[in-house]
Amino acid sequence: MDRVAGIINLDHEQDMLDELTYFRCGAAVPFAGRYRMIDFAISNMTNSRFDSVAVFARRKYRSLMDHLEQGKAWDLDRKRGGLFILPPDWNDPTDISQGDLQHFHNNIDFINRTLADYIVVSGSQNICNIDYQNVLADHKESGADVTVVYTKVDELYPEHQSAHKLEIDENHRVTSINNDLKNKNVYMDMYLIDKNLLHELIEQCIAHGCSHFFQDGIKAQLDRLKVNAHEYVGAHALINSVESYHRNSFNLLNETEHDRLFNDDNPIYTKVKNEAPSKYLSSSNVTNTLVANGCEIEGHVEDSILFRGVKVAEGAVIKNSIIMQRCEIESDAVLENVILDKDCTISKGRTLIGAPEKPYVVPKRKSM
């Protein structure tokens, strides 16, 4: 069986989630009550039987490293292979690489030493549940040099404006990669490539003074490389702004959408925290809400997402809001269209109201 290794490249991802990325990179942002955004990228790889996964991280990665640890949650704490967190190491005075090619160049040993025949490179902003073995099967059948992954969206949202779009011929070959605002073939920042070809293209890009591997090594060489497209059909969310984070989080309150993303065949794994079940007191009223374990609820909560260890006092009202770990909402406080980062306290009787299209965001450890 062909072996595949994974690289999660965070280098070119911009931290555009405002207060949520003040102290962490986007990949470490909590999502869906129990997870971090990077959990989906790693789980997809481990579910697809990858035994080696590297993470290219350049900035604000302390929270990420704390979450990932040695990769035990994803069965990647191994003697051979496993999880490799690769922060910057620019100590080679002869190194002329730039941009994310610095990561590829300085960590070329990961690529060379892995026993894999193919490499999947992915970001963390496309939330999905994909089986890369299907991508590999398509890749081998087509004889492609590179296979990129895309999805056809029903509706284009603001977050799709900055995403690359694919133009594809009848043989699934990519003829153009562009930013056409009307094209619904959204590139998911994922591609599969032969290990030896990846090494060759890295060296070629560096020799020509390039700074972005996908842009310069693949997109700019469509006339020379055979680049095929694999269509992903399933739950998908592109999260690159507070607005997209807010909207796509609440899509999970729809049972059908939730079950499309989280299924028993390909579970999403995360760092385990052993906490007591959530407690609903007699005065509580909770409807259409995702509630993680360890919460204590006395007040009214509807159409919201509560992460682990949230406390909602009697008389408090929470609507259409995302409340992250260990936040405390005191009595008679009112929150609507609000995102509270971790360890926030909202004092008695305080009212915070945002708009659905522009939620009110409170940074972590803030008391109001």
Side-chain angles (χ1 to χ4, degrees):
M1 184 179 71
D2 294 304
R3 302 181 71 168
V4 188
I7 294 175
I8 300 174
N9 183 9
L10 308 179
D11 191 87
H12 59 279
E13 294 187 353
Q14 299 299 310
D15 300 330
M16 299 178 67
L17 273 65
D18 298 340
E19 290 88 347
L20 301 182
T21 47
Y22 279 176
F23 306 104
R24 60 167 80 92
C25 63
V29 169
F31 183 73
R34 298 181 63 240
Y35 305 90
R36 305 287 182 119
M37 284 176 55
I38 198 170
D39 291 343
F40 297 84
I42 300 180
S43 296
N44 288 333
M45 291 179 175
T46 55
N47 288 335
S48 301
R49 302 188 294 280
F50 293 15
D51 57 15
S52 295
V53 176
V55 180
F56 290 172
R58 184 183 290 267
R59 55 193 172 271
K60 291 188 283 189
Y61 48 79
R62 186 206 59 78
S63 177
L64 186 70
M65 294 178 71
D66 176 71
H67 176 69
L68 298 178
E69 296 181 326
Q70 286 78 42
K72 181 178 180 180
W74 302 268
D75 191 28
L76 288 171
D77 54 336
R78 307 179 179 190
K79 292 182 178 179
R80 293 187 179 181
L83 180 66
F84 299 84
I85 304 172
L86 303 173
D89 182 17
W90 319 140
N91 295 316
D92 181 358
T94 65
D95 181 17
I96 61 170
S97 58
Q98 305 175 59
D100 72 347
L101 281 159
Q102 289 181 300
H103 273 292
F104 284 103
H105 173 76
N106 284 281
N107 298 300
I108 201 70
D109 282 349
F110 170 81
I111 297 169
N112 290 338
R113 292 178 180 177
T114 179
L115 298 177
D117 306 291
Y118 300 93
I119 305 288
V120 165
V121 181
S122 168
S124 72
Q125 294 179 329
N126 284 271
I127 304 297
C128 65
N129 194 324
I130 185 171
D131 186 347
Y132 286 115
Q133 291 297 325
N134 295 332
V135 182
L136 177 60
D138 265 8
H139 180 82
K140 294 175 66 177
E141 182 179 355
S142 67
D145 296 312
V146 182
T147 295
V148 298
V149 181
Y150 77 101
T151 188
K152 291 182 179 178
V153 299
D154 295 327
E155 183 176 353
L156 289 166
Y157 287 98
E159 60 264 29
H160 297 130
Q161 292 183 6
S162 60
H164 283 109
K165 316 300 193 309
L166 306 184
E167 293 182 11
I168 308 163
D169 67 16
E170 64 277 5
N171 297 314
H172 306 290
R173 184 163 182 172
V174 178
T175 58
S176 177
I177 302 175
N178 53 53
N179 291 98
D180 182 354
L181 298 181
K182 296 181 180 180
N183 189 339
K184 294 186 177 182
N185 293 333
V186 176
Y187 168 57
M188 292 173 57
D189 198 20
M190 304 173 183
Y191 57 89
L192 183 147
I193 186 170
D194 178 272
K195 179 178 76 171
N196 295 326
L197 178 58
L198 174 61
H199 191 167
E200 176 188 327
L201 292 175
I202 290 169
E203 297 299 322
Q204 182 186 105
C205 286
I206 292 172
H208 287 82
C210 302
S211 60
H212 192 299
F213 178 76
F214 180 79
Q215 298 268 30
D216 301 306
I218 297 176
K219 178 184 175 184
Q221 301 196 58
L222 290 179
D223 57 340
R224 187 177 76 83
L225 299 172
K226 183 179 180 182
V227 179
N228 271 39
H230 172 89
E231 182 182 359
Y232 164 74
V233 179
H236 172 256
L238 175 58
I239 296 177
N240 56 18
S241 65
V242 170
E243 292 74 24
S244 60
Y245 175 85
H246 187 257
R247 186 179 62 257
N248 286 297
S249 293
F250 286 116
N251 284 343
L252 297 177
L253 297 180
N254 180 301
E255 185 177 354
T256 301
E257 288 301 308
H258 181 277
D259 291 347
R260 289 179 72 211
L261 182 61
F262 299 98
N263 62 73
D264 294 336
D265 293 333
N266 295 298
I268 305 300
Y269 302 99
T270 191
K271 181 178 179 180
V272 176
K273 293 186 177 180
N274 297 317
E275 294 179 285
S278 288
K279 183 187 296 185
Y280 301 83
L281 281 78
S282 59
S283 58
S284 67
N285 180 12
V286 181
T287 57
N288 195 38
T289 295
L290 281 178
V291 180
N293 43 328
C295 295
E296 185 174 307
I297 305 173
E298 298 180 75
H300 177 96
V301 185
E302 64 177 86
D303 301 326
S304 295
I305 298 173
L306 305 187
F307 283 71
R308 296 182 177 106
V310 171
K311 294 183 178 180
V312 182
E314 186 174 358
V317 176
I318 300 174
K319 299 180 180 179
N320 304 312
S321 296
I322 300 170
I323 314 299
M324 295 189 188
Q325 296 97 309
R326 300 182 301 277
C327 287
E328 295 192 23
I329 317 302
E330 296 183 356
S331 59
D332 301 319
V334 176
L335 304 180
E336 186 171 355
N337 297 314
V338 170
I339 300 175
L340 294 188
D341 206 338
K342 295 167 58 175
D343 300 309
C344 287
T345 299
I346 304 302
S347 59
K348 180 179 179 180
R350 187 68 186 265
T351 298
L352 299 177
I353 298 179
E357 64 280 1
K358 190 68 176 179
Y360 189 102
V361 183
V362 180
K364 65 192 300 186
R365 293 189 290 271
K366 185 83 170 179
S367 296
M368 303 184 70

